[in-house]
Each structure stands twice: as structure tokens, then as C-alpha cells.
Amino acid sequence: MESRLKVLGHPVHPMLVMFPAALLITAVLFDIIDTVGGPDFLGEVAYWNITVGLIGGLLAAAAGLFDLLAIPVGTRAKRVALTHAAANVAVILLFAAVWVVRLNADSRAAGGALIAIEVVALGILSVSAWLGGELVDRLGVGVDRDAHLDAPSSLRTSGSQ
């Protein structure tokens, strides 16, 4: 099933997911380092990583929605995609809750309870990432219908080799 939202012949959703995932993972690492005695500024940097990660996550979700709506109902791909989407919504909500708590706090440092929530969110994100791989690599969601080992460049117009 070919992706509905493309740029230069490539699906947009997979292009966008790496940024929020990397930012959120880095935020948790910075929060842990900050909590165990690292430099004080890491809590602030982690907060801003979460801020930008949430914005990127919403953009990735919007792009993913195009592909989700195109998957036929009653297929394994639809069930996996709905689970993938629900997991990502849970991740966004958990990190948004952490962000709201830190928004007007005297210190942007996370502390134990917020880090625990972040770690749970990363666990869910890991499962969701696996599900995304299952969708693309196993179920072919977002894959160009003319894909093969000798396919022409996606920048070429169809019909030309």
C-alpha cells in the first residue's frame, strides 16, 4: 500500500518520526544525568527537547493519519496501525503531562516521579516503533507499489527508466 502523503516520492511520516523520538529519548537521558548530579543546565535542555519533541510528534502524527486512513478496514495492517497510533498518542500524552508540570516550575529539573513517567513513555515508544517497523517491513504500508531492487529513482517521472 503506497503512502498517500509524499515529498519527492518518499513517504513523509517515516521522515518525521525520527526527530521527536530522538528528542524525547535524549530528554530522558539528560533528565537522568541531571538527577544523578550532572550539570544543572541539562534539566532545562531536557525540557526544551520535550517541547520540540511534542511539536514534532504532533506533526508526525498528522502525517501518519494520512496513511492510517488509507489502510483497508478488516486487515491485520489496520489493527497494527491502530495499536501503533494509540501507543504514540499515549507517549505524547505522557510527555505532555511531564511538560505541563515543568512549565511553570521554579526549576525545569524533572526529579524521580517525572523521570519514571518518561521511562514508561519510552517503553511504550519502543513498542510503537517496533509496530511501525512491522507496518512497513512486514505489511508493506507506505511502500511504493513499484518498489523492487532495480526500481528507478523516485525523482524520475513514472514511465521513464
Side-chain angles (χ1 to χ4, degrees), residues 6 18 32 43 65 71-72 76 78 87 95 118 122 125 129 131 134 144:
K6 292 183 171 189
M18 69 184 85
I32 291 169
L65 186 60
I71 299 172
R76 178 169 177 263
K78 188 68 154 196
F95 272 104
E118 291 175 353
L122 287 188
L125 180 61
L131 291 169
E134 183 78 356
D144 190 295

Side-chain angles (χ1 to χ4, degrees), residues 11-160:
V12 173
H13 179 65
M15 286 190 252
L16 294 178
V17 297
M18 69 184 85
F19 297 108
L23 286 162
L24 296 175
I25 292 166
T26 304
V28 176
L29 292 175
F30 285 176
D31 277 338
I32 291 169
I33 293 168
D34 179 50
T35 300
V36 298
D40 290 339
F41 71 89
L42 286 182
E44 182 79 22
V45 174
Y47 168 82
W48 287 107
N49 277 6
I50 291 171
T51 304
V52 178
L54 288 171
I55 294 166
L58 293 173
L59 292 172
L65 186 60
F66 280 89
D67 289 338
L68 174 64
L69 294 174
I71 299 172
V73 176
T75 62
R76 178 169 177 263
K78 188 68 154 196
R79 292 188 302 275
V80 171
L82 288 170
T83 306
H84 171 70
N88 285 330
V89 168
V91 170
I92 293 294
L93 291 174
L94 288 169
F95 272 104
V98 169
W99 182 83
V100 166
V101 170
R102 294 168 80 168
L103 178 62
N104 292 317
D106 292 336
S107 167
R108 296 281 168 87
L114 293 180
I115 290 175
I117 293 169
E118 291 175 353
V119 169
V120 167
L122 287 188
I124 297 168
L125 180 61
S126 298
V127 171
S128 180
W130 183 87
L131 291 169
E134 183 78 356
L135 285 165
V136 174
D137 296 331
R138 185 77 177 149
L139 300 170
V141 173
V143 176
D144 190 295
R145 67 179 156 279
D146 295 325
H148 57 83
L149 296 177
D150 288 317
S153 168
S154 58
L155 297 175
R156 292 187 176 181
T157 59
S158 59
S160 67

